[in-house]
Amino acid sequence: MRKLVPVLLILLIPLVVAEAQNPFSWLEDSIKGLTEAAIELLDVLKSSALMIARALSGTLIALGLVLWGTDIFGYKGKRLIIAGLVMLFIVEMI
């Protein structure tokens, strides 16, 4: 038993030294996981916002064409068409 204690101490010293070099490795892994999850969430939000913006710009253009073509609200129709085209251009640039 007395011979076993020094051998165990010799085997445990590298483990203690390795843990002492980076005692917060579990925290780094947690932070890395949180940042990756946040990036994925932002990617999903970005793609959803772009899809909604494309649909909205198409709706603005169509509604503007109807208003301008029927001459009910010609000026507002032109403004809706221009706004829809600008919005579509910006969304496609992103």
Side-chain angles (χ1 to χ4, degrees), residues 13-67:
I13 288 175
L15 295 175
V16 172
V17 171
E19 187 63 32
Q21 290 175 355
N22 195 1
F24 297 108
S25 63
W26 61 273
L27 184 62
E28 290 175 3
D29 295 338
S30 299
I31 292 173
K32 189 175 186 177
L34 282 174
T35 55
E36 289 173 0
I39 289 171
E40 288 180 27
L41 177 66
L42 290 175
D43 284 339
V44 168
L45 289 175
K46 177 186 169 189
S47 64
S48 299
L50 289 176
M51 185 174 63
I52 291 170
R54 284 187 189 108
L56 183 60
S57 64
T59 304
L60 286 174
I61 292 170
L63 184 61
L65 285 172
V66 169
L67 289 176

